[in-house]
């Protein structure tokens, strides 16, 4: 294969590499017995999903995926693991329920149904020419325009939701001291 | 170039793995992790639709749903807007859920879900 063909197929190769890494990380999260390993593989899966967003020309989403998921949610999960159970105690022998077979059957059936629908449906995909004609400036500018003009109200409501979630999380997780009750 | 089908297939596989994990894990934090995987699968779906689908009426990328096609924000990466909101709600959900897990651990000294059946019946 010559250099030009490799360059032409680079997005496809990147996609397959990212897809393999994501699948492996997700399987590790679903099957690993050590919950700290689960959390670290989860961070790896989030990071690879950011790569998929870059392949999809969604640079802003890739950035917030890294900041919010890898930087915040994965760390939050690691903290919850550390604060809740000892790591050795988390290595639980009965780490999965007895309903493994029905769960596997259900998940596999759902996945097979989704894949068959995806493969058989005639998507009216946009031509690359039309896409780059309309999106010459990149997607970040268009996304900002969308978020701050027609979707400004949901945007503000989302910030209020974050505030409410923050206050709620503090109230729920706070340790009540006896002398604080006065 | 990978096509829309590639991304949707990856998303379906990811969602199924997350569903299997959420159904079988018994540690509450593990279940939350699997739910995050499923949310990420949905995000890939939305971003892929946003990148690859055209307006069925005009065949163009920027749709005419808002009227005048000339304005820059009309149409375009609508799916990415949904992904932004999904990530926001998922972050809120994760923080509250982990706070609940910590509160349960503090009062019952376990986060194995089959030991937490206080409100089951």
């Amino acid at each position: 294969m010559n250099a030009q063909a490799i360059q032409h197929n680079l997005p496809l190769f990147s996609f397959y590499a990212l897809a393999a890494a994501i699948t492996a990380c997700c399987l590790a999260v679903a099957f690993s017995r050590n919950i700290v390993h689960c959390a670290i593989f989860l961070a790896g899966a989030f990071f690879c999903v950011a790569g998929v967003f870059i392949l999809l020309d969604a640079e802003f989403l890739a950035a917030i995926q890294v900041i919010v998921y890898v930087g915040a949610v994965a760390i939050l999960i690691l903290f919850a693991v550390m604060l809740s159970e000892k790591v050795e105690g988390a290595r639980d022998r009965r780490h999965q329920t007895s309903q493994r077979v029905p769960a596997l059957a259900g998940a596999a059936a759902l996945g097979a149904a989704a894949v068959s629908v995806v493969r058989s449906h005639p998507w009216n995909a946009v031509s690359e020419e039309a896409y780059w004609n309309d999106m010459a400036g990149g997607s970040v500018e268009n996304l900002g325009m969308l978020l701050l003009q027609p979707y400004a109200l949901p945007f503000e409501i989302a910030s209020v939701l974050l505030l409410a979630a923050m206050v709620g999380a503090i109230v729920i997780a706070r340790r009540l001291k006896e002398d604080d009750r006065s | 170039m990978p096509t829309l089908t590639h991304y949707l297939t990856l998303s379906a596989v990811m969602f199924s793995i997350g569903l299997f994990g959420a159904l079988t894990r018994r540690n509450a934090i593990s279940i939350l992790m699997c739910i995050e995987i499923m949310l990420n699968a949905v995000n890939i779906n939305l971003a892929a639709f946003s990148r690859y689908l055209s307006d069925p009426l005009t065949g163009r990328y920027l749709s005419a749903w808002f009227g005048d096609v000339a304005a820059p924000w009309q149409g375009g990466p609508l799916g990415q807007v949904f992904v932004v909101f999904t990530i926001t709600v998922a972050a809120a959900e994760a923080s509250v859920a982990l706070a609940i897990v910590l509160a349960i651990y503090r009062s019952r000294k376990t986060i194995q879900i089959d030991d937490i059946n206080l409100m089951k019946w």
Side-chain angles (χ1 to χ4, degrees):
Chain A
M1 194 181 290
N2 59 22
Q4 198 180 5
I6 289 177
Q7 195 176 12
H8 183 252
N9 282 321
L10 197 57
L12 195 60
F13 294 150
S14 321
F15 173 80
Y16 281 127
L18 285 170
I22 288 173
T23 312
C25 285
C26 291
L27 284 173
V29 173
F31 286 99
S32 172
R33 282 165 185 261
N34 188 323
I35 189 168
V36 177
H37 293 178
C38 284
I40 291 168
F41 279 119
L42 185 72
F46 287 161
F47 203 77
C48 296
V49 170
V52 170
F53 283 151
I54 287 183
L55 278 181
L56 284 167
D57 294 323
E59 295 89 1
F60 181 74
L61 292 187
I64 59 171
Q65 171 85 13
V66 171
I67 292 172
V68 173
Y69 274 113
V70 184
V73 171
I75 301 299
L76 196 65
I77 287 175
L78 272 176
F79 265 103
V81 170
M82 282 190 275
L83 288 175
S84 61
E85 289 193 339
K86 294 191 192 75
V87 175
E88 290 306 311
R91 200 190 292 270
D92 195 353
R93 248 178 289 108
R94 24 154 235 176
H95 74 128
Q96 284 182 326
T97 51
S98 56
Q99 300 103 335
R100 287 183 87 155
V101 176
L104 181 63
L110 179 78
V115 170
S116 68
V117 167
V118 161
R119 294 183 73 87
S120 62
H121 189 274
W123 304 103
N124 60 341
V126 66
S127 70
E128 288 297 300
E129 191 187 0
Y131 176 79
W132 289 111
N133 201 20
D134 281 347
M135 295 287 286
S139 69
V140 179
E141 182 189 347
N142 286 284
L143 179 61
M145 289 293 194
L146 274 172
L147 269 180
L148 293 181
Q149 285 176 10
Y151 291 93
L153 182 64
F155 186 74
E156 298 299 331
I157 293 175
S159 64
V160 175
L161 172 76
L162 280 180
L163 178 69
M166 187 185 75
V167 174
I170 292 173
V171 168
I172 293 171
R174 180 171 71 119
R175 204 185 296 267
L176 274 182
K177 288 181 193 152
E178 290 302 315
D179 46 318
D180 271 0
R181 296 236 178 106
S182 60
Chain B
M1 288 289 287
T3 60
L4 178 61
T5 313
H6 286 91
Y7 291 104
L8 297 187
T9 309
L10 168 67
S11 164
V13 169
M14 221 176 140
F15 191 90
S16 304
I17 295 173
L19 177 65
F20 174 75
L23 286 174
T24 55
R25 300 306 295 245
R26 40 192 353 162
N27 187 314
I29 297 179
S30 297
I31 293 174
L32 273 174
M33 290 193 230
C34 293
I35 291 174
E36 294 293 336
I37 287 180
M38 291 160 76
L39 284 167
N40 259 278
V42 173
N43 284 349
I44 291 180
N45 244 354
L46 289 171
F49 283 137
S50 160
R51 167 68 179 78
Y52 283 105
L53 289 194
S54 60
D55 186 355
L57 296 179
T58 62
R60 295 195 52 186
Y61 182 66
L62 293 180
S63 70
W65 291 343
F66 296 100
D68 183 13
V69 194
W73 48 267
Q74 288 168 342
L78 266 181
Q80 295 187 23
V81 176
F82 297 131
V83 177
V84 170
F85 290 130
T86 316
I87 289 179
T88 312
V89 175
E93 170 252 329
S95 62
V96 174
L98 290 171
I100 291 174
V101 167
L102 285 188
I104 288 175
Y105 178 72
R106 210 168 281 145
S107 66
R108 304 188 55 90
K109 297 295 166 216
T110 179
I111 51 169
Q112 304 291 315
I113 46 153
D114 40 37
D115 297 335
I116 312 169
N117 51 8
L118 192 65
M119 287 167 56
K120 203 167 176 183
W121 284 289

